[in-house]
Amino acid sequence: MDLHAPIFVAGHRGLVGAALVRRLEALGCTDLRLATRGELDLTDQTAVRDWFAAQRPAYVFLAAARVGGIHANDTYPAEFIYQNLAIELNVIDAAHRNRVRKLQFLGSSCIYPRLAPQPMTEDALLGGPLEPTNEWYAIAKIAGIKLCQAYRRQYGFDAISLMPTNLYGPGDNFDLNTSHVLPALLRRFDEAVASGAPDITLWGSGTPRREFLHVDDLADAAVFLMQHYSAPDIINVGVGTDVSIAELADLVARATGYRGTIRWDTARPDGPPRKLLDTRRLTDLGWRPRMALADGIADTLAWYRAQGGALRGGAGETA
């Protein structure tokens, strides 16, 4: 990848996109092409085609998406599948039409079957039923993968697909109605400390296990793969270890200074029992994460508190 060529980061105001911009700027990129949702609606095919024809980016990081946790996926299934499909179709096709040198599509670990063997290898894709609580998002992301593979096969378009694990970090969405588990826990515990709450009730049983990758590590891996990987096969991006949600809650409690009682509402859904990625394909290429989970939680909490509890997003949107 030529760091001085025009680079489009789609979704630069979202968690992943902002981290990508930080990483690219740190590497000395001199021609970042960025557009807010108000400037470019990625679900509008004509607008996307016109923008690409005018801007002519050489490289594209497709990080724009409609995202959210279990509640958001369950509440807005139509928006999750429609908006993500529209973004992928428009951006990937416009990139091909305008001779983009390389495109990177950011997927998600939720593409894998609910009961996929753990840790999940890339060939587990389409090997069984999806997790019902996020199948709308997962199906859209699977379609994006297949679109990249189809354009590579038919047109020779250099499109690669990354499957990140659960992400967190500065710039995350802390809206309790639409956020993922880690930022939701950070906000819940921070507010419990401020209010002096003697106990806090969390969703589910606390037993599911999840893997968490700091978004700055993801950005580093994304740029690394843009420079060193070109193949139709998807590639997992994660840390290779996981924790239970109860263990995660304990880490967040310690980071925030909460000393009350943690209770679990087992009537609420847990989601898949485990989601751990097999990252050997990535580590064999020479990349490894740097941020330990406890350090990443402290970093994200410091950012959140510095915002005065400001929220990003709403109704599960990011851009």
Side-chain angles (χ1 to χ4, degrees), residues 49-60:
R49 287 185 175 180
D50 289 347
W51 189 91
F52 268 82
Q55 295 293 326
R56 304 298 252 184
Y59 302 95
V60 174

Side-chain angles (χ1 to χ4, degrees), residues 187-205:
R187 180 177 175 183
R188 290 285 310 280
F189 279 105
D190 195 53
E191 291 180 348
V193 169
S195 67
D199 56 63
I200 185 170
T201 300
L202 305 177
W203 274 31
S205 65

Side-chain angles (χ1 to χ4, degrees), residues 73-156:
N73 274 268
D74 187 55
T75 305
Y76 306 104
E79 284 90 339
F80 268 79
I81 194 166
Y82 173 82
Q83 292 181 11
N84 283 299
L85 284 172
I87 290 168
E88 296 158 9
L89 289 166
N90 294 339
V91 173
I92 293 169
D93 182 70
H96 158 65
R97 288 172 179 269
N98 288 277
R99 300 186 178 181
V100 164
R101 297 181 203 170
K102 191 170 188 177
L103 177 143
Q104 181 181 109
F105 172 64
L106 275 296
S108 167
S109 61
C110 74
I111 62 162
Y112 294 117
R114 182 179 190 273
L115 298 178
Q118 302 291 319
M120 297 180 288
T121 60
E122 288 87 351
D123 60 9
L125 179 63
L126 300 179
L130 298 167
E131 163 59 35
T133 58
N134 63 19
E135 65 177 329
W136 322 105
Y137 180 70
I139 287 171
K141 286 297 184 181
I142 292 169
I145 293 167
K146 292 303 177 183
L147 195 64
C148 287
Q149 292 173 339
Y151 273 61
R152 176 182 285 272
R153 178 177 177 178
Q154 184 170 342
Y155 302 119

